[in-house]
Amino acid sequence: RRASARQTLRFAESQSGTRSGETDDQENAEEMRLFNKGWLDVRDAAVCVMRDAGSEYATIAPVKAKAEDWKRRFPKTYKDAWMSHAAPTIFAPFVLLELLSWSPLFLAGSGDGPAPPLDGMNWYAELLEYGGAADAEDPDGNLVPTLVEKLVAPAVAHAVASAWDPSCVAQSQRLAGVAADLLVYLDPRSCDPMARVLASAARRLLETATTRCAIPGWAPV
């Protein structure tokens, strides 16, 4: 919906002889109203997803407690069951639900300021010390970086490719902050999702420079 609305806006601008780049931070009011309404509907629906789940499975805390208790009491069976490798899949639904309320480009209610940082999210705080990893050899220490790579980075890459307007200063500043957060965990030289984030950003910048930064021709003498 967001991409379609933006394409319609750009067509109207081309017919009227104006360019979005001339009003860098001006969002189309109707476009933003529809976007925020749809986003609010999604957030409201997300609250209901775990409504029918038992209390021991409806949030991260009890699931995490059970897994850590297993590891503490029966470390060999925990390891033999490859629980450290299954943990990202187990916790992914909770992370995805929270990410529905987060955007690297927009703020809920069209507010101002940076995008909420990753370390301010509930799932991050709950899982940062999952498993009590005591050393670098414990794979449980990779849970948060793995979730960032598998869930957050692809969401950011999609937002960059489909919704980022490089001429909008507010969006660009938010995206820069999010990219800096991602680079704490992900190396684009070895992480494909992070490489896609940067490649998508470079491609969008080039497209904007090519299509929206026209230099007027000289009038004939």
Side-chain angles (χ1 to χ4, degrees), residues 126-145:
E126 293 267 18
L127 299 176
L128 181 60
E129 298 182 357
Y130 169 78
D135 54 60
E137 300 301 318
D138 188 338
D140 280 338
N142 293 324
L143 177 57
V144 165

Side-chain angles (χ1 to χ4, degrees), residues 14-35:
S14 68
Q15 298 302 302
S16 63
T18 62
R19 293 179 178 271
S20 294
E22 294 172 358
T23 55
D24 291 350
D25 260 355
Q26 299 299 314
E27 292 278 5
N28 179 275
E30 180 63 11
E31 179 186 352
M32 287 305 301
R33 187 188 70 79
L34 292 173
F35 171 75

Side-chain angles (χ1 to χ4, degrees), residues 141-176:
N142 293 324
L143 177 57
V144 165
T146 299
L147 292 170
V148 171
E149 176 184 357
K150 302 299 184 182
L151 303 179
V152 182
V156 174
H158 176 74
V160 170
S162 63
W164 178 39
D165 180 0
S167 71
C168 177
V169 175
Q171 288 185 24
S172 299
Q173 289 176 336
R174 290 176 195 133
L175 180 59

Side-chain angles (χ1 to χ4, degrees), residues 31 33 68 76 85 95 107 128 130 133 169 175 179 183 193 215:
E31 179 186 352
R33 187 188 70 79
E68 290 181 327
K76 186 177 186 305
H85 298 276
V95 178
L107 298 180
L128 181 60
Y130 169 78
V169 175
L175 180 59
L183 288 169
I215 300 175

